[in-house]
Amino acid sequence: MGSATIFFWLQLPNVTKSYRTALTITGIVTLIATYHYIRIFNSWSEAFTVASKDGGDYAVQLTGAPFNDGYRYVDWLLTVPLLLIELILVMKLPQAETVSLSWKLGLASALMVALGYPGEIQEDLAVRWFWWCLSMIPFCYVVFTLAVGLAEATSKQPSPAAASLASAARYLTVLSWCTYPFVYMVKSVGLAGPAATMYEQVGYSLADVLAKAVFGVLIWAIAAEKSAVEESGKLLPN
Amino acid sequence: MGSATIFFWLQLPNVTKSYRTALTITGIVTLIATYHYIRIFNSWSEAFTVASKDGGDYAVQLTGAPFNDGYRYVDWLLTVPLLLIELILVMKLPQAETVSLSWKLGLASALMVALGYPGEIQEDLAVRWFWWCLSMIPFCYVVFTLAVGLAEATSKQPSPAAASLASAARYLTVLSWCTYPFVYMVKSVGLAGPAATMYEQVGYSLADVLAKAVFGVLIWAIAAEKSAVEESGKLLPN
């Protein structure tokens, strides 16, 4: 995540001015994630200990300190709206549409994260499902808006390469977003204990790398391609 | 590794735009390695303790905490595909070839690292050899593709100096890459205990310095030479 940030920011001079705000935000998203993953790493190390007794097999034990999943939700509360805004910015829609889409998707996605947290920290499966369902309302709204909105924006891209990258961004968004509700369900279907906790953390981490770093590389590729098209004069900046 | 990163990034304005992405990635590879070597250092310090009893000879003892070789494999999973991509980028092949080679070599090399790990953490020699053999399939594919592909790319370099540097990069790649399977075999041939663990770590670390920092200096030299050729107008940028 940290390397992705540095990559995006070092690439700022290589894109035209129109795409620098999108690329700056892309780097901020992975920077915020870097910070929270360090917190998550430390919280994890404090919650579990690995040791071998008398030179025997290694075993994982609880230390008694809780593993704090709150870092993940604070991270999402900040990064998910920013991720959507970077995607909207790189599409370079008319200004009024950019502002209105940013507000609608930004607020809906923050609401989605906020509604997911009360369920995440619950052991009671019914309560977990209740918050999952509530959180899925803004989730569906955002994913649907993106799937439809990006299909339209894709057809307006200035070159076939840009259109194919925008289409890849669309599929990656839907794929990586849909991972989260399924990972959330790992514990809701009654799985518990160390294995469920591990799968949940691996799942969220993989989805985060896809949704932030890999998605960011796509945003950069779109920005670089559109900058090249603009600079070659095939398209006048609108 | 950290110093190499700083060197590569401070050199960014000294090469033409065409080679800045390659040099940015070269610095990211050594940055990721810097991070993981700090983690490896800490894990090593936590796993072994050196003390003298009653003023006598110093002895190394296990603390009970495991030494985590996973950091090395996570490092390779990220850096090995990036290393190949930086080499492809500095060769400045046609865009379609760059994209297709990056995907093929990137995925094959990630697969190679992922297949090596299950064997690395095994005590059972037969299982170690099994994963070593599996991992050698993508290994041979990547090394062979590089050896052939770089020979061709070398002949197309814009100046004798660039051609000789590209040829050096080719030999260094094959030499440093072939170190890893041999180091992996240290434990597979039945060597065990502290000495085998030490030789393995020394071997991997030396190979890493060659494959990342020294190799990166070659990438920088190629980028600098080709930038000089482009700027002197002997070759029009394609």
Side-chain angles (χ1 to χ4, degrees):
Chain A
M1 293 285 190
S3 304
T5 296
I6 294 170
F7 177 78
F8 301 139
W9 288 347
L10 286 179
Q11 289 285 333
L12 280 175
N14 285 2
V15 300
T16 57
K17 234 175 155 177
S18 327
Y19 302 106
R20 284 186 196 156
T21 307
L23 212 52
T24 303
I25 295 177
T26 308
I28 286 176
V29 165
T30 46
L31 180 76
I32 296 174
T34 304
Y35 169 80
H36 285 110
Y37 269 101
I38 292 171
R39 290 280 183 211
I40 292 170
F41 181 104
N42 290 344
S43 178
W44 185 267
S45 298
E46 281 161 21
F48 308 103
T49 179
V50 184
S52 92
K53 288 211 169 145
D54 314 319
D57 284 347
Y58 288 104
V60 179
Q61 285 169 328
L62 296 171
T63 61
F67 171 63
N68 187 356
D69 234 352
Y71 294 123
R72 226 174 248 293
Y73 278 80
V74 171
D75 180 84
W76 290 339
L77 197 62
L78 298 167
T79 56
V80 174
L82 289 175
L83 273 171
L84 294 171
I85 292 170
E86 85 193 36
L87 179 61
I88 296 164
L89 285 178
V90 88
M91 291 299 158
K92 214 176 164 186
L93 308 165
Q95 204 184 345
E97 208 179 329
T98 298
V99 172
S100 109
L101 257 184
S102 298
W103 275 109
K104 278 192 282 187
L105 295 184
L107 287 177
S109 63
L111 186 68
M112 167 190 87
V113 174
L115 289 173
Y117 187 60
E120 183 72 83
I121 54 172
Q122 276 292 330
E123 298 286 322
D124 186 325
L125 299 192
V127 181
R128 258 188 98 88
W129 279 112
F130 171 76
W131 290 107
W132 183 88
C133 292
L134 277 191
S135 179
M136 285 304 280
I137 301 168
F139 175 92
C140 291
Y141 168 72
V142 173
V143 170
F144 182 78
T145 307
L146 282 183
V148 172
L150 286 180
E152 206 182 306
T154 300
S155 64
K156 288 183 194 155
Q157 295 304 306
S159 77
S164 118
L165 288 166
S167 160
R170 189 177 163 224
Y171 286 115
L172 183 64
T173 303
V174 174
L175 174 80
S176 64
W177 276 60
C178 288
T179 315
Y180 294 95
F182 284 103
V183 175
Y184 191 102
M185 279 158 59
V186 165
K187 284 185 177 165
S188 303
V189 293
L191 293 173
T197 300
M198 185 195 72
Y199 285 121
E200 191 191 46
Q201 296 302 317
V202 169
Y204 281 149
S205 303
L206 281 179
D208 269 359
V209 170
L210 277 183
K212 295 185 171 93
V214 177
F215 180 73
V217 171
L218 269 177
I219 296 290
W220 160 76
I222 294 172
E225 167 65 23
K226 289 170 86 171
S227 297
V229 172
E230 279 182 16
E231 279 182 344
S232 74
K234 276 180 232 162
L235 177 88
L236 290 170
N238 57 18
Chain B
M1 293 285 190
S3 305
T5 296
I6 294 169
F7 176 77
F8 299 138
W9 288 346
L10 287 180
Q11 287 288 328
L12 280 176
N14 284 4
V15 301
T16 56
K17 229 173 156 179
S18 325
Y19 302 107
R20 285 186 194 154
T21 306
L23 212 52
T24 302
I25 295 177
T26 308
I28 284 174
V29 165
T30 45
L31 179 78
I32 295 175
T34 305
Y35 169 81
H36 284 110
Y37 270 101
I38 291 172
R39 289 281 183 209
I40 291 170
F41 180 103
N42 290 343
S43 179
W44 185 266
S45 299
E46 280 162 21
F48 307 105
T49 178
V50 184
S52 95
K53 285 207 173 151
D54 314 320
D57 285 347
Y58 287 101
V60 179
Q61 285 171 327
L62 296 171
T63 61
F67 171 63
N68 188 355
D69 234 353
Y71 293 123
R72 224 174 249 294
Y73 278 79
V74 172
D75 180 84
W76 291 338
L77 197 62
L78 298 168
T79 57
V80 174
L82 289 175
L83 274 170
L84 294 171
I85 291 170
E86 83 192 38
L87 179 61
I88 296 164
L89 285 178
V90 88
M91 291 298 157
K92 213 178 165 186
L93 308 165
Q95 202 184 347
E97 209 177 327
T98 298
V99 172
S100 110
L101 259 183
S102 297
W103 275 109
K104 277 193 283 188
L105 296 184
L107 287 178
S109 63
L111 185 68
M112 169 189 86
V113 173
L115 288 173
Y117 187 61
E120 184 72 82
I121 54 171
Q122 275 292 332
E123 298 285 322
D124 186 324
L125 300 192
V127 182
R128 258 187 97 87
W129 279 112
F130 171 76
W131 290 107
W132 183 88
C133 291
L134 277 192
S135 179
M136 285 304 280
I137 300 168
F139 175 91
C140 291
Y141 168 73
V142 173
V143 170
F144 181 79
T145 307
L146 282 182
V148 173
L150 287 179
E152 207 181 307
T154 300
S155 65
K156 288 183 195 154
Q157 293 307 305
S159 78
S164 117
L165 287 166
S167 161
R170 188 179 164 222
Y171 286 114
L172 182 64
T173 303
V174 173
L175 173 80
S176 64
W177 275 59
C178 288
T179 315
Y180 294 95
F182 284 104
V183 174
Y184 192 102
M185 278 158 59
V186 166
K187 283 184 177 167
S188 303
V189 294
L191 293 172
T197 300
M198 185 196 72
Y199 285 122
E200 193 191 44
Q201 295 303 318
V202 169
Y204 281 149
S205 303
L206 282 178
D208 269 358
V209 170
L210 277 182
K212 295 186 170 93
V214 177
F215 180 74
V217 170
L218 269 177
I219 296 290
W220 160 77
I222 295 171
E225 167 64 24
K226 289 170 85 170
S227 297
V229 172
E230 277 181 18
E231 278 183 344
S232 73
K234 277 181 228 158
L235 177 88
L236 290 170
N238 56 20

